[in-house]
Structure formats: structure tokens, C-alpha cells
Amino acid sequence: MKSFNKVLLNTLLATTTNSFLWFAITFWMYLETRSVIANAFIGAMYPIFTGLFGVYFGTYVDHHKKKTALKLSSTITLVTFLLAGVLYLSAPTSALQSVTHPLFWLFILLIMAGSMAGSLRLIAMSTLVSVLVPEKDHDKANGRVGVVNGVSFAVTSVFSGLTISLLGMGWAVGIAIVLTALTLIHLSTLHFKDTD
């Protein structure tokens, strides 16, 4: 159970970071464009893409070690957030304020891809309950996974809004990059029994 709790803590940080940046991008997008339609569009696309990739993610988790899936999830997230950060710093401000500019949508898609990669982690985390936790404690462990998912969504909307209003989108991306890197570093220090 001790190993499971460490992985769960790691997942709390990763999931909170993903939710933080996703909420931040939706706040920022509306403030920059004043387009409710654009916000509605990305709001609808996120669950559709998550559902489409869910089948692939589930298949990947079934055929690979769970720690490998966790690392892959955080690596994809880190790479896409880094690319989004580079784009944010290098693109003309006007391009990132226009829903008709391709760079605006590329920025949104990079953050969406990084956030969606977190679904791979959540699938792997659910399967780790049966690997790392004695059967008699499965109900408690599943409850903790649910709490982590709920907490990550509950707290991030507040922090995302504050970050966008006080610091801006650049800081939000930077914070997400640092936290994702810390998640990946922490994950590499964890050792637990795994199966493929």
C-alpha cells in the first residue's frame, strides 16, 4: 500500500497540473478572443478526443508495464507543454489573440494534447490498484483514486483563474512545465512491483 500511495501522490500532482493548464487555457482563450463559440468548440473537442484516444490508451496499458505508461503520459505532457511554451514566447502576440490564426489553434491543440495524455496515466493508475494493493483494500484504494481525480479538478479552476488574472498565460504554461518535470523526476525515483 505504501508504494501505491507514492504513485497516487505522483498522480495527484500530474492530474492537478494537467487540469490547471487546461482550465487556464479556457480562461485565457475567452479573455483574449471574447469568443464564446471558440470556447464551446474546444470544450466539446476535449471529451471527444479523450474518448477516441481512450481505446488506444487502454490497449497500451494492457500490453505494457504500468510504470512505462505513467512515464509515457508525463513525457508526452512535458514535450507538448514545452512546445506550447516555445510557441507562446516566439509567436506574434496578434497571432495568439486571433481565432482565425493557425498559430492560435496550434497553441490550443498542443495544450489539449498534453492534458489528454493524462488519460493514459489515469487508466494505468486504475489498473495499479489490483497490482499494488491487497484485495481486501481495493475499495479504499479505488476511493482514493476517485478523490485524487475529484480534488485535481476542484482546486485547479480557482488557481488557474488567479494565475491568468494575476500573472498571465505565459506563467501558467511555465508553472505547468515545471510541475510536469517534477512529476517525471519523482516518478523515476519510485520503485514498485509491476506487470505488463
Side-chain angles (χ1 to χ4, degrees):
M1 195 75 167
K2 188 175 180 182
S3 295
F4 175 78
N5 288 333
K6 289 179 180 178
V7 179
L8 191 62
L9 178 64
N10 185 272
T11 296
L12 175 62
L13 180 59
T15 306
T16 302
T17 301
N18 288 348
S19 298
F20 165 79
L21 195 54
W22 182 246
F23 276 108
I25 196 76
T26 58
F27 292 143
W28 173 84
M29 182 179 188
Y30 178 74
L31 291 172
E32 292 298 319
T33 67
R34 300 295 180 188
S35 174
V36 175
I37 293 173
N39 264 61
F41 179 75
I42 67 164
M45 293 312 296
Y46 186 86
I48 290 171
F49 283 142
T50 301
L52 291 173
F53 282 102
V55 174
Y56 173 75
F57 289 160
T59 303
Y60 184 88
V61 169
D62 279 345
H63 294 93
H64 294 83
K65 290 189 176 293
K66 310 317 172 218
K67 186 172 182 181
T68 303
L70 296 175
K71 283 184 175 179
L72 180 61
S73 172
S74 288
T75 301
I76 292 170
T77 298
L78 182 59
V79 169
T80 55
F81 287 178
L82 280 168
L83 290 172
V86 169
L87 179 60
Y88 184 83
L89 292 174
S90 61
T93 303
S94 59
L96 294 179
Q97 294 175 334
S98 172
V99 293
T100 61
H101 202 288
L103 290 179
F104 173 84
W105 289 107
L106 179 59
F107 181 63
I108 300 293
L109 287 174
L110 285 169
I111 291 176
M112 183 185 290
S115 296
M116 283 191 314
S119 298
L120 175 60
R121 168 183 283 278
L122 294 178
I123 294 169
M125 193 65 219
S126 296
T127 63
L128 277 173
V129 170
S130 60
V131 175
L132 299 177
V133 179
E135 190 171 350
K136 65 182 179 64
D137 293 324
H138 280 187
D139 56 341
K140 294 176 188 172
N142 282 319
R144 289 179 188 176
V145 171
V147 168
V148 162
N149 293 338
V151 166
S152 68
F153 284 109
V155 301
T156 52
S157 59
V158 174
F159 291 122
S160 296
L162 288 172
T163 301
I164 293 301
S165 65
L166 299 175
L167 301 173
M169 190 63 205
W171 276 95
V173 175
I175 289 167
I177 289 168
V178 170
L179 292 177
T180 303
L182 289 174
T183 300
L184 199 52
I185 292 167
H186 178 253
L187 184 60
S188 67
T189 68
L190 299 181
H191 302 285
F192 52 87
K193 175 189 170 186
D194 204 349
T195 59
D196 51 16

